[in-house]
Amino acid sequence: GENVEQHPSTLSVQEGDSAVIKCTYSDSASNYFPWYKQELGKGPQLIIDIRSNVGEKKDQRIAVTLNKTAKHFSLHITETQPEDSAVYFCAASVGNEKLTFGTGTRLTIIP
Amino acid sequence: NAGVTQTPKFQVLKTGQSMTLQCAQDMNHEYMSWYRQDPGMGLRLIHYSVGAGITDQGEVPNGYNVSRSTTEDFPLRLLSAAPSQTSVYFCASSYVSPGGEKLFFGSGTQLSVL
C-alpha cells in the first residue's frame, strides 16, 4: 500500500518568513494530494489540494507543488502569521481510495 | 450546520471496560470514517463506511467495532479497552470530488485507558 513520509516533524519560523513542509509518497499511481491543518484542540481541516495533472496550485499565501517524477510534494506558506501555527498533515491517494496521511509537522510561528 | 459532532470530548476507562464513541454528521455525506491520532504516527484509519449498512476495515481495526444504521450516525465501539488504545479519536464525514476524497473532521475524543 501507499506510504507517505513527511518532514520536518517540527518547524519554527520567524513571523513574516516562509515555511516549507515536504512529503514523499511511494505509490506512483497516487494522483490526489491534499493538505490538512489542525489547530489546537480541533480536528484537521482541508486547506489546499492538488491533482497529479497540475504541477502547482496557489491560494493566497499558501501554495502546493508536485514533482511526480521524484514522487514528492510540498506545502509553501509565505509571509507567515501567528495564526499559521498548527499541525499540518499531507496525504495521498489513488483515485477515490482512502487517503494515507503523513505523520504531521508542528509549525510554530515566532512573533 | 453543526458539521461533524463527536461525544464525549474526554473519557477515562479502565482496562477491560467497553464504551461507545458517538459521531453524527448533518452534511448528508455518504462516507464516514474513524481515525486515531498518536504522536509521531499521524492519522490512521480504523474503520470506514461508504453508506448505511456498509462498513469496512481500515489500517488498524483490531479491538474496535462499527455499524452504520443511518446516514447521519457512525458510532465506534471499544469492546475491551486496552492501554494501547489510549489516543485521540477523530470521526470524519466525506464526499468524493473529481479530485479525490474531501474529509470533514469532528473535534475529537481524547481517550485514556488506565
Side-chain angles (χ1 to χ4, degrees):
Chain A
E2 175 68 280
N3 182 50
V4 177
E5 295 188 358
Q6 183 171 348
H7 299 281
S9 57
T10 61
L11 179 62
S12 295
V13 301
Q14 291 290 140
E15 182 177 351
D17 288 350
S18 296
V20 181
I21 302 169
K22 299 180 180 180
C23 291
T24 60
Y25 60 98
S26 60
D27 190 343
S28 57
S30 289
N31 57 3
Y32 177 62
F33 309 92
W35 286 87
Y36 284 78
K37 176 184 181 182
Q38 183 181 24
E39 297 177 347
L40 193 62
K42 298 184 179 180
Q45 183 176 10
L46 178 67
I47 55 171
I48 195 168
D49 55 10
I50 192 169
R51 297 179 63 184
S52 60
N53 59 349
V54 176
E56 182 176 6
K57 184 178 180 180
K58 288 183 179 179
D59 183 3
Q60 300 181 11
R61 295 186 297 107
I62 292 174
V64 57
T65 58
L66 172 65
N67 184 327
K68 286 188 293 182
T69 302
K71 290 192 285 187
H72 67 71
F73 57 111
S74 300
L75 178 71
H76 304 254
I77 306 174
T78 59
E79 300 174 9
T80 53
Q81 300 170 4
E83 54 263 37
D84 295 328
S85 291
V87 177
Y88 292 81
F89 291 98
C90 62
S93 68
V94 178
N96 297 336
E97 294 182 2
K98 299 299 287 181
L99 289 165
T100 298
F101 284 88
T103 50
T105 296
R106 182 174 299 279
L107 175 63
T108 302
I109 307 303
I110 305 167
Chain B
N1 254 2
V4 179
T5 302
Q6 288 185 239
T7 56
K9 290 190 181 301
F10 302 95
Q11 183 71 47
V12 179
L13 293 177
K14 294 180 179 179
T15 297
Q17 287 185 316
S18 63
M19 78 159 295
T20 299
L21 307 184
Q22 301 291 344
C23 177
Q25 56 104 355
D26 62 0
M27 295 177 282
N28 204 30
H29 290 158
E30 287 297 319
Y31 289 32
M32 295 187 75
S33 310
W34 276 101
Y35 291 84
R36 59 178 289 173
Q37 182 179 12
D38 302 291
M41 304 193 76
L43 295 160
R44 292 184 293 168
L45 182 64
I46 304 171
H47 285 286
Y48 65 99
S49 169
V50 298
I54 306 169
T55 64
D56 207 346
Q57 295 181 352
E59 180 185 356
V60 287
N62 293 340
Y64 308 94
N65 220 348
V66 292
S67 60
R68 183 102 178 267
S69 56
T70 66
T71 299
E72 294 79 19
D73 300 299
F74 190 44
L76 178 72
R77 298 180 187 84
L78 279 69
L79 309 173
S80 177
S84 61
Q85 294 178 304
T86 293
S87 186
V88 181
Y89 291 85
F90 288 99
C91 177
S93 70
S94 59
Y95 68 92
V96 177
S97 72
E101 184 182 24
K102 297 188 188 297
L103 291 156
F104 296 80
F105 287 90
S107 58
T109 296
Q110 188 167 325
L111 175 68
S112 295
V113 183
L114 306 177

